[in-house]
Amino acid sequence: MFDISPVSRERDEQIQARIDDKTKPRGALGALEPLAAHLARLLGDSPEIKRPAMLVFAADHGIASAGVSIAPPEVTAQMVANFASGGAAINVFCRQLGWQLEIIDAGMLSAPPGEMGVTDCRLGAGTGPIHKRAAMTLGQVEHGLAFGRERVRAHHAEGTNLIALGEMGIGNTSSAAAVMAALMGLEAKDCVGRGTGVDAATLKRKQMLVEQALLLHLDMLTSPESILACVGGFEIVEMTGAMLGAAELGIPVLVDGFIATTAALAAVNMFPQSREYLIFAHRSAERAHGLILAHLEAEPLLSLDMRLGEGTGAALALPLVQAAANFYREMASFSDAGITDVTP
């Protein structure tokens, strides 16, 4: 379904030489230097971030009715209405930093009114409760991957060359934990965390239900697609498709926190070459996030102890990505500036 080319490393020595020749000691810009090199591989010799787009996918989860979150399922729709009216954290950060924000209904319990301006990519009215039956069908997974790809292509056609992904869905840390456990061969206890801040009793119930889901679907957890069908979420599937779609177009993706990184894990399991197009933005406070990051050999740009979702961590990383691209493109070399290169 996706045609993703590996990122060429033929120009790596040339790219590094250009970075080393900037008017600074070698390595003095720290993590911005490998980020600049990465952007140069993906975006060419004059990398410039153009029309960055933040896609926030919203969906409901059947497991939410079992009481795995601090909020009831109705809050998904209420928060999407807040997004649409511009009142959420992600709206504030996108306005501040210049993101093009799109809110996408991947499958909430009820479709939002048309006047809200939410994009319709519905796969259903919420997933099945994963501890009782499959979240969705393989056909819905296929459609969800296509929806994610379609939204990235639409933004790319408008000039976007950097995508970030966010999500909203009460209960989605339970689904993400189940997907993570199945893809990495871990136990539920290693993957289930407190989400937005549940108490000890709710955490225990959440872990038990994820264990139940993994056991129920054990024989079907044989591929990334079937894992998503059994225990995934509509927004997780569509984020996976968006990441693969961006990789197909050769543009980078800023990956947010635990839910988005679980989608990245699924994407990399489907197409390992997609890993090279992912830039990990933020280390979430969700305890299992670090395990996935280590598995993907990823070091995020930020660690702010956030656990909000919505793409907020990815949004806040934009200035760092722009800074890396800009110093590579604009900063003078020693010869340009007439400075003796004193770098050993």
Side-chain angles (χ1 to χ4, degrees):
M1 184 177 177
F2 294 89
D3 182 15
I4 300 172
S5 300
V7 175
S8 173
R9 296 291 183 135
E10 292 181 359
R11 295 169 47 248
D12 274 11
E13 288 189 12
Q14 174 188 339
I15 290 169
Q16 190 59 51
R18 180 170 172 177
I19 291 172
D20 291 342
D21 195 38
K22 300 294 184 182
T23 49
K24 59 171 182 61
R26 292 186 187 181
L29 286 176
L32 290 182
E33 296 195 14
L35 177 57
H38 192 45
L39 293 170
R41 289 185 205 105
L42 297 179
L43 301 178
D45 279 336
S46 188
E48 181 179 1
I49 303 304
K50 300 176 181 177
R51 196 184 178 276
M54 170 68 68
L55 282 57
V56 178
F57 295 87
D60 277 300
H61 294 255
I63 197 173
S65 61
V68 294
S69 174
I70 62 170
E74 293 77 18
V75 170
T76 301
Q78 292 166 2
M79 279 302 300
V80 166
N82 192 27
F83 297 157
S85 66
I90 190 59
N91 300 97
V92 173
F93 297 156
C94 285
R95 284 195 297 267
Q96 174 189 340
L97 299 169
W99 286 100
Q100 300 296 313
L101 175 62
E102 181 181 21
I103 309 302
I104 299 161
D105 177 12
M108 296 191 295
L109 288 171
S110 299
E115 59 266 25
M116 275 193 186
V118 176
T119 302
D120 182 1
C121 291
R122 289 177 64 79
L123 295 174
T127 60
I130 60 174
H131 59 297
K132 295 181 178 179
R133 61 179 186 271
M136 67 193 85
T137 67
L138 283 169
Q140 286 172 304
V141 172
E142 183 177 343
H143 283 113
L145 295 172
F147 272 140
R149 176 199 224 176
E150 171 191 297
R151 296 319 308 148
V152 168
R153 286 184 170 185
H155 284 278
H156 186 254
E158 294 292 322
T160 291
N161 69 354
L162 177 71
I163 293 287
L165 304 172
E167 41 64 39
M168 177 62 213
I170 300 302
N172 64 6
T173 58
S174 297
S175 180
V179 171
M180 172 189 173
L183 287 171
M184 293 178 61
L186 298 174
E187 296 182 27
K189 65 180 179 64
D190 299 317
C191 306
V192 174
R194 292 185 179 271
T196 49
V198 299
D199 60 22
T202 305
L203 177 63
K204 186 174 181 180
R205 182 187 312 117
K206 182 177 177 181
Q207 181 177 316
M208 178 189 69
L209 292 173
V210 171
E211 287 174 350
Q212 186 176 325
L214 293 169
L215 183 60
L216 175 65
H217 303 291
L218 182 60
D219 292 341
M220 296 297 294
L221 304 178
T222 55
S223 70
E225 293 85 353
S226 62
I227 288 169
L228 289 171
C230 289
V231 298
F234 292 149
E235 79 277 49
I236 295 173
V237 171
E238 294 191 7
M239 284 194 294
T240 301
M243 291 178 193
L244 294 173
E248 194 172 42
L249 294 169
I251 61 176
V253 179
L254 263 175
V255 182
D256 190 43
F258 178 55
I259 313 297
T261 305
T262 301
L265 180 66
V268 172
N269 271 265
M270 289 182 197
F271 292 89
Q273 63 269 39
S274 68
R275 171 65 183 85
E276 298 176 277
Y277 297 90
L278 305 178
I279 298 170
F280 291 83
H282 179 250
R283 184 181 301 275
S284 167
E286 185 73 0
R287 66 187 183 94
H289 190 208
L291 296 177
I292 310 181
L293 292 170
H295 180 78
L296 293 173
E297 298 181 349
E299 186 58 45
L301 298 174
L302 299 169
S303 182
L304 301 176
D305 203 31
M306 301 199 305
R307 49 182 172 84
L308 179 60
E310 303 178 9
T312 49
L316 291 172
L318 177 60
L320 296 178
V321 176
Q322 291 170 322
N326 292 348
F327 99 71
Y328 186 88
R329 190 178 70 253
E330 300 175 11
M331 190 174 174
S333 68
F334 285 106
S335 58
D336 291 335
I339 298 172
T340 301
D341 183 356
V342 296
T343 303

